[in-house]
Amino acid sequence: MTNQASLFEQQHEPSDVETLTLSTFAERAYLDYAVSVVKGRALPDVSDGQKPVQRRILYAMNELGLGPTAKPRKSAAVVGDVLGKLHPHGDQSVYDALVRMAQDFSLRYPLIDGQGNFGSRDGDGAAAMRYTEARLTPISRLLMDEIDMGTVDSQPNYDGSTTEPRTLPARLPMVLLNGASGIAVGLATEIPSHNLREVAAAAVAMIRNPKITHAELMTHIPGPDFPGGGQIITPASQIADMYAVGRGSMKVRARWKIEELARGQWQAVVHELPPGCSSQRVLEEIEELTNPKVKAGKKALLPEQLALKNTILGALDAVRDESGRDAPVRLVFEPKSKNVDQGEFMLMLLAHTSLESSAPINLVMIGGDGRPRQKGLSSILQEWIDYRFVTVRRRTEFKLGKVNDRIHILEGRETVLLNIDKVIAIIRNSDEPKAALIEEFRLSERQAEDILEIRLRQLARLEAIKIQQELAELRNEKEKLEDILENPSSMKRLIIREIEADAKQYGDDRRTIIEEAQRAVAEQKVIDEPVTVIVSEKGWVRARTGIGHDPAQFTFKAGDSLYKAFECRTIDHLLGIGDNGKVYSVPVNALPGSRGDGVPITTLVDLSGGV
């Protein structure tokens, strides 16, 4: 039947129609979809560091006049403008992107100044777009100031009714400054944020020395600089290796201080958190540790859960979240006793909560060639520098065109300056004054049009000195612009000066410190002492402190009796052999005490595993 249908289609379809099998059509459609997601939604561009939705929001706000000094406007109006002209997707997706660009705990250098509730680091959502207001921040000028100087290419919007920039003329490598996170079809990106001064210094170093080594670049950019601070404990050599290939994972821990209280008491106060961590999350983890839930398929808590619970409760007395307006992060941990070792106390918290966690690095982005690639630090900086040189060249050519046009106009005015009466007579008496002026004074059409557009009173007041002064200034500016275009060293010096000026104006100190330290691994200390392990005939087990006990004193459930009493030590392990031939091991110190009848040994082991 299928063959007959294909034959019928071939006989009756026009010859210019392409026929495809379902598999070929599906393959093409999926590839088109994948490329659309990769380039149109999920990945930032190395040139300006923005995803399409972010770029469109910034461009729309700039077109609406919502600069840093403008009055904020309702976010709903911004979202509506973006949807109607540039981004035909869901309004919530656009608003979510706008909100993130306004959160100082999400972006190292926020690009939008939000007025109202824009969420919190604890996961609280922003208020509805009809309540919040937004405008651009001063640092957004790094992306928007040169947008009207012919610096970037434009492309039609989704319906061809207007145009939008393909990229923004970024004056600094924004892809490194604010980073990005996204998941596409078959690709994901996780670019951490970095310090503006450090990135600017690295860019200047590479412009001055294009053959700079990766090790030399790492002296300028030692690692990420997260919005929330924290401490990177991964060795510098490993960080350098990650940046060389563009992929890796580093350990980041919270920063804290010890506050001394009255009578020798103290408390630990966490004031900076790793990326992706929040005060609320830490409190939930503490709650799970101190009130563990029985795992699925088990009848009771596992020994590891009980031991960890006892460890936490034995050291931690209380935890409070005192975060607020004055202190964005303030988590207070009170120990059970002032005699608790402070180092071991914090080590326990770091090991069992997200106060120490991993921060992935996956430097995947759209390159200068339009293709998604995983890039190392050197490649990212070099591609941005190439883009910046092109941008500055186009900006200079644009300015030179404006200067030449103005010079041309003033030269025409200077030509007719001494013959104003004759010009007035030609305009009054000639049927075609434009052609007459061109013939009489050898003017261009552009110059003649300018003379004709000048009001009579302005024409009478043309002053030679002012025209000559402006011409001198313009010719001097023209000479400088031509030098920039013709002399590569002049353009290089200009770009370096601009980068250094931006770094001075917008730069700040590093927030995340980089100090190598050992990963927090909490070891439960077991006191080595004698103990008697009591096993019943029905497989119930418990431990009694000391040895030399009279077995007749042991009590059991009705119908049960003693199988064996083993005199050992708390550091030993109880081994049991199942009927499947596997050997199971249980630490003696994890066995329940002797006040009750104990617990079935099957609840202490994972019967799906074994040795």
Side-chain angles (χ1 to χ4, degrees), residues 95 99 116-119 125-132:
Y95 185 53
V99 166
N117 177 15
F118 274 79
M129 68 181 78
R130 62 182 178 274
Y131 298 121
T132 61

Side-chain angles (χ1 to χ4, degrees), residues 364-385:
V364 176
M365 61 198 72
I366 305 298
D369 58 358
R371 297 180 178 181
R373 288 284 188 275
Q374 186 174 80
K375 302 179 183 295
L377 179 61
S378 300
S379 176
I380 293 172
L381 285 175
Q382 188 58 62
E383 289 195 31
W384 176 81
I385 290 171

Side-chain angles (χ1 to χ4, degrees), residues 288-289 291-306 308 603 605-606:
E288 291 175 3
L289 292 172
N291 292 288
K293 303 290 190 297
V294 177
K295 293 186 177 182
K298 301 294 180 182
K299 298 179 180 178
L301 296 175
L302 297 177
E304 295 82 0
Q305 292 177 291
L306 291 170
L308 186 54
T603 63
V605 297
D606 184 3

Side-chain angles (χ1 to χ4, degrees), residues 257-268 315 317-318 332-340 342:
K257 58 184 177 181
I258 301 297
E259 293 184 354
E260 302 293 342
L261 306 177
R263 296 186 298 277
Q265 300 291 332
W266 58 272
Q267 62 185 17
D317 184 55
V332 180
F333 297 90
E334 293 184 359
K336 277 282 188 182
S337 168
K338 63 181 180 181
N339 298 322
V340 174
Q342 296 177 357

Side-chain angles (χ1 to χ4, degrees), residues 64-222:
L64 289 170
L66 297 177
T69 58
K71 181 181 178 181
R73 193 169 176 182
K74 286 291 185 182
S75 300
V78 176
V79 171
D81 199 68
V82 174
L83 291 177
K85 295 180 179 179
L86 305 171
H87 197 72
H89 298 286
D91 59 343
Q92 194 59 44
S93 65
V94 175
Y95 185 53
D96 288 344
L98 186 150
V99 166
R100 186 176 185 275
M101 288 194 288
Q103 294 175 335
D104 58 359
F105 52 87
S106 295
L107 264 63
R108 182 66 174 80
Y109 301 98
L111 300 173
I112 291 177
D113 178 16
Q115 306 289 323
N117 177 15
F118 274 79
S120 71
R121 68 184 69 236
D122 287 330
D124 299 324
M129 68 181 78
R130 62 182 178 274
Y131 298 121
T132 61
E133 297 178 342
R135 63 181 175 184
L136 297 175
T137 59
I139 201 171
S140 66
R141 290 172 175 167
L142 294 175
L143 290 165
M144 307 306 305
D145 269 1
E146 301 172 358
I147 192 72
D148 295 324
M149 297 184 184
T151 51
V152 294
D153 294 327
S154 296
Q155 63 185 9
N157 69 335
Y158 66 93
D159 63 356
S161 60
T162 184
T163 60
E164 61 175 317
R166 292 183 184 272
T167 56
L168 300 178
R171 298 209 305 259
L172 286 176
M174 297 300 296
V175 72
L176 290 176
L177 298 188
N178 277 330
S181 178
I183 300 176
V185 180
L187 290 173
T189 185
E190 196 67 48
I191 307 172
S193 56
H194 296 81
N195 184 268
L196 189 148
R197 289 176 183 167
E198 295 174 356
V199 172
V204 169
M206 178 168 276
I207 293 173
R208 287 176 173 159
N209 178 20
K211 296 182 180 179
I212 188 172
T213 65
H214 176 71
E216 290 171 329
L217 277 180
M218 292 304 298
T219 62
H220 297 287
I221 305 178

Side-chain angles (χ1 to χ4, degrees), residues 295-597:
K295 293 186 177 182
K298 301 294 180 182
K299 298 179 180 178
L301 296 175
L302 297 177
E304 295 82 0
Q305 292 177 291
L306 291 170
L308 186 54
K309 174 183 177 180
N310 294 333
T311 300
I312 300 295
L313 292 178
L316 180 63
D317 184 55
V319 56
R320 299 189 306 277
D321 182 9
E322 297 182 355
S323 305
R325 186 181 300 271
D326 297 331
V329 176
R330 183 177 168 84
L331 271 175
V332 180
F333 297 90
E334 293 184 359
K336 277 282 188 182
S337 168
K338 63 181 180 181
N339 298 322
V340 174
D341 183 86
Q342 296 177 357
E344 293 185 359
F345 180 76
M346 290 308 303
L347 188 68
M348 174 192 70
L349 294 175
L350 291 171
H352 297 297
T353 68
S354 54
L355 290 176
E356 180 176 300
S357 54
S358 297
I361 294 180
N362 191 19
L363 307 181
V364 176
M365 61 198 72
I366 305 298
D369 58 358
R371 297 180 178 181
R373 288 284 188 275
Q374 186 174 80
K375 302 179 183 295
L377 179 61
S378 300
S379 176
I380 293 172
L381 285 175
Q382 188 58 62
E383 289 195 31
W384 176 81
I385 290 171
D386 294 342
Y387 174 76
R388 184 59 184 160
F389 269 82
V390 171
T391 303
V392 173
R393 175 170 290 279
R394 294 179 64 166
R395 182 191 70 188
T396 307
E397 291 171 347
F398 178 85
K399 289 183 177 180
L400 183 59
K402 293 289 186 181
V403 169
N404 284 332
D405 183 67
R406 182 61 178 170
I407 289 175
H408 187 61
I409 293 296
L410 291 178
E411 286 176 343
R413 294 183 181 183
E414 188 179 37
T415 301
V416 301
L417 179 63
L418 300 177
N419 300 284
I420 293 180
D421 292 336
K422 192 172 185 179
V423 170
I424 294 174
I426 291 174
I427 295 174
R428 179 183 299 172
N429 301 320
S430 175
D431 293 333
E432 295 184 3
K434 179 178 177 181
L437 287 173
I438 292 174
E439 181 180 355
E440 179 68 27
F441 299 105
R442 296 181 180 179
L443 302 176
S444 68
E445 289 194 11
R446 180 78 176 85
Q447 290 171 325
E449 288 175 358
D450 174 69
I451 298 299
L452 292 172
E453 289 173 359
I454 295 178
R455 293 183 180 181
L456 184 61
R457 62 183 178 183
Q458 291 177 311
L459 192 64
R461 292 180 181 178
L462 285 176
E463 299 180 14
I465 296 177
K466 288 184 177 180
I467 291 177
Q468 290 170 357
Q469 286 178 345
E470 187 177 354
L471 273 172
E473 293 173 358
L474 289 171
R475 285 166 179 160
N476 184 47
E477 184 179 356
K478 176 182 178 180
E479 184 178 344
K480 292 180 180 179
L481 293 173
E482 289 177 340
D483 178 63
I484 292 172
L485 293 173
E486 297 171 1
N487 192 343
S489 60
S490 297
M491 180 173 286
K492 184 183 295 186
R493 286 194 298 270
L494 172 64
I495 293 175
I496 289 175
R497 285 199 305 270
E498 290 179 348
I499 291 175
E500 291 175 341
D502 289 333
K504 183 177 180 180
Q505 181 176 358
Y506 300 109
D508 58 1
D509 295 331
R510 168 173 277 275
R511 298 179 187 176
T512 304
I513 65 172
I514 301 177
E515 292 182 3
E516 182 179 349
Q518 292 293 325
R519 180 180 175 183
V521 179
E523 297 180 357
Q524 298 180 14
K525 294 184 177 180
V526 179
I527 301 176
D528 186 3
E529 59 183 4
V531 67
T532 301
V533 176
I534 306 169
V535 182
S536 75
E537 288 283 352
K538 293 187 176 181
W540 287 64
V541 61
R542 62 186 188 271
R544 186 169 182 175
T545 304
I547 57 177
H549 299 290
D550 182 5
Q553 299 177 347
F554 301 154
T555 59
F556 301 92
K557 286 181 173 293
D560 201 0
S561 60
L562 177 65
Y563 168 74
K564 187 73 175 180
F566 301 94
E567 293 183 349
C568 55
R569 307 192 69 84
T570 51
I571 60 174
D572 295 330
H573 284 72
L574 175 65
L575 301 179
I577 302 176
D579 55 8
N580 56 3
K582 294 183 178 180
V583 178
Y584 301 90
S585 174
V586 179
V588 170
N589 69 295
L591 298 176
S594 60
R595 290 190 175 181
D597 297 318

